[in-house]
Amino acid sequence: LIAVLFPFMLVLSGVGSETALSLFGVAMGMTFPLLFLPSTLIGSLSFALIPELSTALVKNQTTLVEERIKTGLLFSVIISAMIIPLYIGLGSEICGFLFDNTLSGEFLIGASWIMIPLGLSNITSSILNAFNLEVKSFINNILGGVCLILCVVCLTGALQVYALILGFAVCMGLTTLLNIIMIKKHTKIKLGLIKPLVLSCAFVVPCALLSKWIYGLCIVVFPSFVALIIGAFVAVFSFILLCMCFKLCDF
């Protein structure tokens, strides 16, 4: 539906049909696949989490259930936030190297924050599935999808591609919020998400600036690919180091 609706709304706003299809292709074919990168790891954890949680629920192992839920949520936040400095600091360079398209890099920089609610939506849906709440999880996803469509319909004229990015952010954010409310209602446990979310977001800017600066130094001496690898390593390593220094998690 979005593949048809978004280009149509762009054309209605005055963008040529070829340009509209091109913008949609850049966003969905270049930018969004990179945003789903952390979901590969989070999805693997999700598949492993469902049977373990289900078994613990059957055995009434409340402590284990609470521990696994908190670990899963923390893992999702850390893995998602760890990639954000890389995309903010080097988004244009990454897309320029991969696709020879700097526009997708601009979209990637603006959309990188989506990875946190995207990862949390993934893991919370799996937790609800373990509680046999698949239908309610599905309804939450539908409600998020409705918000995505509304953003595309109402905001594309003003924001163009960023209406699609905002729509996905609202969609994932609402789905995650509804899932978390249901998890807390079902388990009565404190999820402890505020601290890791706040700290992770605080770490992003300095790590992004550092990776950008290191890349600028390296590109003078090394080929672009090597400079990107070094910049990426600095972005991820500095984020992990800050997490360890602030005792955000035990790696």
Side-chain angles (χ1 to χ4, degrees):
L1 180 60
I2 292 297
V4 174
L5 188 60
F6 178 67
F8 176 73
M9 296 307 300
L10 281 176
V11 171
L12 283 185
S13 68
V15 176
S17 58
E18 290 186 5
T19 303
L21 290 173
S22 175
L23 288 173
F24 179 75
V26 168
M28 297 304 296
M30 300 179 186
T31 302
F32 277 88
L34 293 174
L35 295 176
F36 285 101
L37 180 62
S39 297
T40 306
L41 292 173
I42 297 170
S44 299
L45 176 65
S46 300
F47 281 114
L49 192 64
I50 293 176
E52 188 174 10
L53 267 180
S54 299
T55 302
L57 286 167
V58 171
K59 295 181 179 179
N60 200 26
Q61 297 174 321
T62 308
T63 303
L64 181 60
V65 169
E66 181 176 349
E67 178 187 329
R68 290 295 179 266
I69 291 176
K70 287 184 176 181
T71 301
L73 293 174
L74 180 62
F75 179 83
S76 174
V77 171
I78 296 298
I79 293 298
S80 300
M82 185 172 63
I83 310 297
I84 296 176
L86 172 59
Y87 287 171
I88 291 180
L90 301 174
S92 296
E93 289 79 5
I94 290 172
C95 290
F97 179 80
L98 292 176
F99 310 117
D100 194 23
N101 188 298
T102 55
L103 182 60
S104 62
E106 295 178 14
F107 297 156
L108 183 63
I109 293 171
S112 57
W113 295 97
I114 293 177
M115 290 187 292
I116 292 180
L118 178 62
L120 284 172
S121 175
N122 193 332
I123 200 74
T124 52
S125 294
S126 296
I127 293 171
L128 289 177
N129 291 345
F131 288 135
N132 294 320
L133 297 173
E134 297 93 340
V135 174
K136 291 185 177 181
S137 174
F138 173 72
I139 292 173
N140 291 345
N141 278 278
I142 292 296
L143 292 174
V146 170
C147 290
L148 168 58
I149 292 171
L150 289 175
C151 285
V152 169
V153 171
C154 299
L155 300 176
T156 299
L159 302 179
Q160 295 198 351
V161 172
Y162 290 98
L164 182 63
I165 292 172
L166 177 62
F168 268 102
V170 172
C171 172
M172 294 297 108
L174 178 61
T175 302
T176 298
L177 179 62
L178 294 175
N179 286 349
I180 287 175
I181 290 173
M182 287 188 175
I183 291 170
K184 293 192 70 173
K185 181 179 179 181
H186 199 76
T187 61
K188 309 296 183 183
I189 65 175
K190 293 183 179 180
L191 301 179
L193 265 179
I194 301 299
K195 180 182 177 181
L197 280 173
V198 171
L199 286 178
S200 295
C201 291
F203 297 160
V204 164
V205 174
C207 294
L209 291 174
L210 180 61
S211 66
K212 184 76 172 178
W213 180 66
I214 293 295
Y215 174 83
L217 294 178
C218 292
I219 196 65
V220 178
V221 180
F222 301 108
S224 59
F225 176 73
V226 176
L228 274 175
I229 293 296
I230 296 173
F233 174 80
V234 168
V236 173
F237 179 77
S238 59
F239 183 89
I240 293 174
L241 190 61
L242 283 172
C243 287
M244 294 174 66
C245 290
F246 283 83
K247 298 180 179 179
L248 186 58
C249 57
D250 184 353
F251 283 92

